[in-house]
Amino acid sequence: MELKDKFGRKISYLRLAVTDRCNLRCKYCMPAQGIAIVPRKELLTYKEMYRIVRVLSELGVNKVRLTGGEPFVRKDFIHLLESLSFNNKLDQINITTNGALITNYISKLESLNINTINLSLDSLQKNKFAEITRRDVFEEVYKTLIALEKSNLTVKVNMVVQSGVNTNEIIDFIELSKTKNIAVRFIEEMPFNGKGQRRIKEVWNYNKILHHIQNYYPKVVSVKTEKTATSHMYKIPDYKGTFGIIPAFTRTICNDCNRIRITATGMFKNCLFDGGVFNVRDFIRNGASDNDLKNLFIETVQGKPKNGFIAELNRTSKVSESMSTIGG
């Protein structure tokens, strides 16, 4: 048995949010006062998360990305990583983090054979970073970047391109890849900030970002990626690292999507843009067996929409969740 949707796409990648809590308050993600945090008993337990991943891995899911909120905010997150590291059906365990809390864990992550760390970093300027995140932790996050780059972990730096805020730093971020073996990725801003309101005035989409970069560099070389990759990757000749653009909102990457999401409260999402399909937490707590779970997952991915536009059209709620609630 394996997970395949009605379009023949094999589902092999799970994004699992371990918490909806975060230690930052990024403007594009949530309101200043934060979001309504759910009671801890409503969160999936680590044991439930381990079981979900194991069942999915038996259906062909071989990559898992752990997100939040901020995963390192949740107590004993390392214990979940340790348990997942024993699952020999997983080829990759990846983590998305804001980097403010992980410096002391890097050697442990290396020992657990964690593959990739996606570091969210939206400005290289201390004051602007504090303005975007509403927290003054830039120096700690930058220290994390330096430490990660020296580790044996694969490092990706994610910068959400925000009109009128950090677009003048795009070239500075590419220059990070000159001497550092990292992949800098520019992400189209999403409209989800927990208010159900569109925040974006001037749209910096994939084409605008790429043209801006090409105006600075005489030669930009395309880098081949996996068919299911979420970013279009490029390289400046003689630079150590690479850069990419993730068309998160224009959604030109949907056709080859191999991903599913499960939020911290157990909501199963076939697509970032759908409103959630069913709650796997409740299904487990009502006594579901592993076979019950497998059959439900197989049945559910049959409803995976062809792309994010169709998923958004089919939402029953028009209010966009916080990205912290969705899971990164």
Side-chain angles (χ1 to χ4, degrees), residues 99-148:
L101 302 171
I102 81 164
T103 307
N104 296 332
Y105 295 107
I106 291 175
S107 60
K108 179 66 174 178
L109 298 179
E110 289 179 299
S111 72
L112 291 174
N113 294 318
I114 302 302
N115 294 84
T116 302
I117 302 294
N118 282 17
L119 180 67
S120 299
L121 179 62
D122 296 321
S123 177
L124 297 171
Q125 300 173 18
K126 179 178 166 67
N127 290 342
K128 191 186 293 182
F129 178 93
E131 179 190 340
I132 294 170
T133 65
R134 302 186 179 104
R135 297 291 185 271
D136 185 15
V137 293
F138 172 77
E139 290 175 2
E140 182 62 32
V141 174
Y142 196 78
K143 186 170 81 172
T144 296
L145 170 60
I146 299 303
L148 285 172

Side-chain angles (χ1 to χ4, degrees), residues 30-308:
M30 63 171 79
Q33 70 274 17
I35 57 173
I37 300 297
V38 300
R40 188 163 298 277
K41 69 179 187 300
E42 293 185 23
L43 297 177
L44 287 167
T45 66
Y46 286 150
K47 186 176 180 180
E48 288 167 338
M49 290 181 190
Y50 175 81
R51 183 182 174 198
I52 288 167
V53 173
R54 182 169 53 79
V55 168
L56 284 170
S57 71
E58 290 171 0
L59 292 173
V61 171
N62 59 9
K63 295 181 184 179
V64 59
R65 173 166 297 284
L66 302 167
T67 68
E70 168 52 44
F72 285 90
V73 165
R74 185 157 179 181
K75 185 180 178 183
D76 297 329
F77 174 55
I78 290 292
H79 292 174
L80 174 64
L81 295 176
E82 288 172 337
S83 64
L84 291 178
S85 70
F86 288 106
N87 186 334
N88 60 9
K89 292 184 180 294
L90 291 178
D91 295 330
Q92 287 189 24
I93 301 172
N94 305 322
I95 302 169
T96 295
T97 176
N98 60 39
L101 302 171
I102 81 164
T103 307
N104 296 332
Y105 295 107
I106 291 175
S107 60
K108 179 66 174 178
L109 298 179
E110 289 179 299
S111 72
L112 291 174
N113 294 318
I114 302 302
N115 294 84
T116 302
I117 302 294
N118 282 17
L119 180 67
S120 299
L121 179 62
D122 296 321
S123 177
L124 297 171
Q125 300 173 18
K126 179 178 166 67
N127 290 342
K128 191 186 293 182
F129 178 93
E131 179 190 340
I132 294 170
T133 65
R134 302 186 179 104
R135 297 291 185 271
D136 185 15
V137 293
F138 172 77
E139 290 175 2
E140 182 62 32
V141 174
Y142 196 78
K143 186 170 81 172
T144 296
L145 170 60
I146 299 303
L148 285 172
E149 202 264 333
K150 292 177 180 175
S151 74
N152 61 21
L153 300 161
T154 298
V155 184
K156 298 178 181 179
V157 176
N158 289 346
M159 187 258 229
V160 176
V161 179
Q162 299 158 65
S163 175
V165 178
N166 62 359
T167 53
N168 62 338
E169 292 191 65
I170 289 174
I171 303 306
D172 295 336
F173 272 86
I174 288 183
E175 286 300 302
L176 279 179
S177 73
K178 186 172 185 175
T179 57
K180 292 179 172 56
N181 185 24
I182 60 176
V184 175
R185 280 125 49 97
F186 302 104
I187 305 176
E188 291 178 342
E189 186 176 1
M190 304 287 282
F192 306 143
N193 69 350
K195 295 180 182 177
Q197 298 172 350
R198 304 270 174 186
R199 305 178 59 251
I200 306 168
K201 295 176 182 177
E202 180 190 15
V203 177
W204 275 74
N205 60 19
Y206 170 87
N207 288 328
K208 187 175 178 69
I209 295 167
L210 182 59
H211 290 157
H212 176 76
I213 293 167
Q214 288 172 329
N215 284 337
Y216 279 83
Y217 298 98
K219 192 171 184 184
V220 175
V221 180
S222 180
V223 176
K224 190 173 182 179
T225 59
E226 292 180 358
K227 188 179 179 184
T228 54
T230 56
S231 59
H232 300 290
M233 297 302 297
Y234 300 92
K235 187 176 180 66
I236 307 300
D238 300 325
Y239 277 34
K240 193 172 182 181
T242 58
F243 76 90
I245 306 172
I246 300 177
F249 196 56
T250 51
R251 291 166 252 188
T252 55
I253 50 174
C254 289
N255 286 343
D256 298 309
C257 182
N258 65 339
R259 290 162 169 75
I260 52 176
R261 292 171 176 260
I262 296 178
T263 70
T265 57
M267 183 59 69
F268 185 104
K269 293 169 73 75
N270 269 320
C271 174
L272 169 65
F273 290 89
D274 73 32
V277 186
F278 71 90
N279 193 295
V280 65
R281 175 202 66 203
D282 295 344
F283 195 60
I284 288 174
R285 292 179 186 178
N286 286 332
S289 68
D290 285 358
N291 276 336
D292 291 335
L293 279 171
K294 284 182 182 179
N295 290 330
L296 187 60
F297 288 142
I298 290 168
E299 179 185 341
T300 301
V301 299
Q302 289 301 304
K304 186 174 174 67
K306 188 172 183 179
N307 58 52

